[in-house]
């Protein structure tokens, strides 16, 4: 006998059969005061069917005996015989995940909207391919994979397409160098900042070299050129390591200790004062860790560039002195000690100063006035980086004298 379709000869007095969205069957058929229900064939079976919940197409019935023999109301005994089994719960718990978790994801929705305001809506794969085909541009593999899995922000895609239309070698570099591309996508003024740093540092270094070498400047031009080339590499590293970058797709993380370290480093902000964005929240511990992490990177770059730059200079000086010696020749600087000085100086002094410069630039760029008048941010970048280079140059001379390198 099925509970869902009682036979025609089975009658219950004043029974109510109703179809509700609760997916439960109540069968209060007896009680201490009414151990056995009486069956009266003359009293009709009352069937009431109601559909209150359009969410699920489940069949459950509630049977309630309304016999007058009961001395007091009997609380219904719930028996779950729904199609979902004993653990089905109610409609809100086992429905669509998007509707079931909507209440808890309100904050995430607001963050998504805020990120959409800054970088545009998230484009699906077909929409991305439509844009790229219209421009005749082929996406790099990582961006193509991100478009298939997570989607691409419209602003990132438009900026990349614009970069591909730029003159050579910018289009070539942004296509095959992901580090440059991601920084250009996150900050369109990245190249301006790099160029400003290089021009200011090169001009200051040239002025200092001319004053230092005097009439021997052209005779020692190769030393100046070596220092200048190494300085350009250092400038690019100083600006690039602290620049914000677009986080596209999901990074591939290897397993083991190296994978854990890689994941921890990837979760750090690009600089101590990097602005928080939807999806990019940083704790105080992460910002403090960023200072030391960037210090290690800066120190490594300084030591390597010091070895290369000072090695070239020492080689040229020794070659000249092997041909012609002079009493006015200064001592050849120690190679390893000079490189170590560069490493320590970049790790402590340069790291601290450029972190502050990045933070100040971020504040100015985020102001409403600067957004209406972009040249204000460009002028501020020139001024603050010029002052930073002057102060850093004077500080390095003091450090070199204290360490005995010069």
């Amino acid at each position: 006998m099925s509970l869902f379709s009682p036979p025609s000869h089975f009658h219950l007095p004043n029974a109510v059969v109703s179809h509700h969205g609760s997916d439960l069957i109540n069968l209060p058929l007896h009680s201490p005061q009414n151990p056995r229900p009486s069956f009266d064939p003359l009293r009709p079976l009352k069937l009431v069917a109601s559909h209150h919940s359009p969410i699920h197409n489940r069949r459950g019935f509630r049977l309630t005996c309304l016999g007058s023999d009961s001395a007091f109301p009997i609380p219904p005994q719930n028996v779950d015989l729904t199609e979902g089994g004993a653990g089905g719960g109610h409609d809100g718990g086992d429905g669509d995940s998007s509707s079931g978790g909507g209440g808890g994801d309100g904050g995430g929705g607001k963050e998504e909207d805020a990120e959409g305001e800054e970088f545009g809506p998230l484009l699906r794969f077909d929409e991305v391919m439509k844009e790229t085909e219209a421009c005749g541009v082929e996406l790099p593999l990582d961006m193509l994979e991100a478009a298939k899995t997570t989607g691409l922000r419209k602003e990132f895609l438009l900026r990349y397409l614009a970069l591909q239309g730029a003159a050579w070698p910018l289009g070539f570099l942004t296509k095959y160098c992901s580090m440059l591309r991601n920084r250009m996508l996150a900050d369109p003024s990245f190249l301006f900042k790099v160029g400003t740093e290089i021009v200011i540092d090169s001009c200051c270094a040239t002025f200092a070299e001319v004053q230092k070498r005097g009439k021997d400047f052209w005779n020692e031009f190769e030393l100046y050129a070596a220092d200048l080339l190494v300085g350009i590499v250092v400038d690019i590293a100083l600006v690039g390591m602290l620049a914000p970058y677009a986080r596209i797709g999901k990074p591939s993380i290897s397993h083991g200790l190296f994978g854990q370290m890689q994941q921890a480093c990837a979760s750090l902000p690009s600089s101590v004062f990097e602005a928080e964005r939807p999806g990019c929240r940083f704790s105080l511990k992460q910002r403090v860790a960023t200072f030391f992490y960037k210090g290690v990177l800066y120190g490594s770059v300084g030591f390597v560039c010091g070895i290369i730059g000072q090695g070239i200079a020492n080689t040229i000086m020794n070659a000249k002195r092997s041909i012609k010696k002079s009493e006015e020749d200064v001592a050849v600087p120690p190679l390893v000690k000079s490189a170590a000085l560069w490493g320590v100086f970049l790790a402590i002094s340069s790291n601290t100063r450029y972190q502050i410069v990045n933070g100040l630039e971020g504040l100015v760029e985020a102001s409403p006035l600067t957004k209406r008048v972009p040249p204000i941010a460009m002028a501020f970048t020139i001024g603050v980086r010029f002052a930073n280079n002057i102060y850093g140059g004077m500080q390095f001379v003091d450090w070199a004298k204290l360490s005995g390198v010069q």
Side-chain angles (χ1 to χ4, degrees), residues 238 242 298 345-355 395:
L238 289 175
L242 300 185
Y298 270 24
F345 182 77
L346 262 68
I348 299 177
S349 175
S350 298
N351 182 29
T352 304
R353 289 184 288 107
Y354 280 90
Q355 296 281 4
Q395 192 178 45

Side-chain angles (χ1 to χ4, degrees), residues 113-369:
D113 294 340
E115 188 173 9
E117 292 179 1
E118 184 176 3
F119 297 116
L122 196 63
L123 300 182
R124 299 188 303 271
F125 177 71
D126 55 344
E127 296 173 328
V128 171
M129 296 307 298
K130 183 178 179 181
E131 291 285 345
T132 55
E133 291 174 359
C135 297
V137 175
E138 184 178 354
L139 289 179
L141 293 179
D142 58 341
M143 294 186 69
L144 193 62
E145 185 66 24
K148 293 179 181 179
T149 55
T150 60
L152 281 179
R153 288 290 170 186
K154 184 177 181 180
E155 190 64 26
F156 287 162
L157 179 61
L158 295 180
R159 289 177 182 177
Y160 178 77
L161 296 178
L163 290 172
Q164 289 304 297
W168 192 90
L170 183 58
F172 176 82
L173 291 176
T174 53
K175 182 176 182 179
Y176 295 102
C177 182
S178 60
M179 294 181 63
L180 174 62
R181 180 201 68 204
N182 292 341
R183 281 158 177 77
M184 289 291 295
L185 295 181
D187 184 10
S189 63
F190 171 71
L191 281 186
F192 172 77
K193 295 176 181 178
V194 173
T196 301
E197 187 69 29
I198 292 175
V199 170
I200 292 176
D201 185 49
S202 300
C203 292
C204 293
T206 302
F207 180 78
E209 290 284 347
V210 170
Q211 294 293 322
K212 176 182 178 181
R213 303 185 188 277
K215 61 181 181 179
D216 295 329
F217 175 78
W218 293 108
N219 296 329
E220 299 176 351
F221 181 79
E222 60 274 10
L223 298 175
Y224 159 75
D227 291 342
L228 187 64
L229 291 176
V230 174
I232 291 175
V233 175
V234 172
D235 292 335
I236 295 175
L238 289 175
V239 180
M241 286 184 180
L242 300 185
Y245 60 91
R247 294 167 171 85
I248 298 176
K250 297 179 180 179
S252 58
I253 303 298
S254 58
H255 300 285
L257 178 61
F258 179 76
Q260 294 178 356
M261 294 177 60
Q262 185 180 5
Q263 186 177 5
C265 294
S267 64
L268 297 177
S270 58
S271 64
V272 174
F273 302 106
E274 181 182 357
E276 290 187 344
R277 293 183 176 90
C280 293
R281 304 291 184 182
F282 309 110
S283 64
L284 180 61
K285 291 182 179 180
Q286 287 178 311
R287 296 185 182 277
V288 173
T290 297
F291 179 81
F292 293 99
Y293 174 62
K294 297 297 181 179
V296 172
L297 295 181
Y298 270 24
S300 303
V301 170
F303 183 79
V304 172
C305 290
I307 288 286
I308 296 174
Q310 195 63 52
I312 294 174
N314 289 0
T315 302
I316 295 174
M317 293 173 68
N318 291 328
K320 281 188 172 183
R321 293 179 183 185
S322 64
I323 299 174
K324 182 181 178 180
K325 293 184 178 181
S326 175
E327 296 179 356
E328 298 179 356
D329 291 338
V330 296
V332 178
L335 178 60
V336 178
K337 192 174 182 179
S338 298
L341 173 64
W342 272 104
V344 174
F345 182 77
L346 262 68
I348 299 177
S349 175
S350 298
N351 182 29
T352 304
R353 289 184 288 107
Y354 280 90
Q355 296 281 4
I356 297 174
V357 167
N358 270 44
L360 294 175
E361 286 180 339
L363 288 177
V364 173
E365 291 171 356
S367 65
L369 179 61

Side-chain angles (χ1 to χ4, degrees), residues 31 33-34 65-74:
S31 69
Q33 287 77 14
N34 189 16
C65 289
L66 302 178
S68 58
D69 297 336
S70 299
F72 55 87
I74 303 173

